[in-house]
Amino acid sequence: MTDKDCIFCKIAGGNIPSSTVYEDEQFRVILDLSPATKGHALILPKQHYANIFEIDEHVLKDLIVLAKKVATAMKETLNCDGVNIVQNNGEVAGQTVFHFHMHIIPRYKDDGQVIGWNPQESDPEVQAQLAAKIGQALK
């Protein structure tokens, strides 16, 4: 299923031109129009899923395998020093297009990009409680 109003559905379906790196029956990989670094790519499922909470697990498994292939190709062809694989869910987490997608960002020494977070102090007792609560929800 696609969303007729979703820009990434239109790009993934080939209805809007893109710099396509790779395409198969499930995915289109494109270069980002506003790249963080040279070669910054997006993996777009052709089916519409708003976020990680909606995406089919089988599609997600195939997507991570593809992410490894794209990252490996970047390392070999762009001679990047590293790669960030980023996936945001929800506006507060930085998601701006509500169609599940994964960023594959080649990293170069001194590229000036900062992708990360500010580490916080943790309390071992609180950590134990959180681990138990999240772990219980996984059962």
Side-chain angles (χ1 to χ4, degrees), residues 21 27 42 65 75 84 96 117-118 123:
V21 172
F27 306 106
L42 302 175
V65 170
K75 183 96 170 112
N84 284 111
T96 57
W117 52 87
N118 297 319
D123 176 309

Side-chain angles (χ1 to χ4, degrees), residues 99-113:
H99 176 113
F100 182 96
H101 58 286
M102 187 170 285
H103 296 259
I104 312 296
I105 306 170
R107 297 303 304 273
Y108 307 92
K109 185 176 180 178
D110 301 322
D111 64 20
Q113 291 297 325

Side-chain angles (χ1 to χ4, degrees), residues 120-132:
Q120 308 281 318
E121 294 290 324
S122 64
D123 176 309
E125 187 175 315
V126 172
Q127 293 290 84
Q129 291 170 357
L130 289 171

Side-chain angles (χ1 to χ4, degrees), residues 16-29:
I16 294 177
S18 64
S19 296
T20 299
V21 172
Y22 172 84
E23 181 179 11
D24 64 22
E25 64 280 345
Q26 290 188 96
F27 306 106
R28 182 180 295 260
V29 181

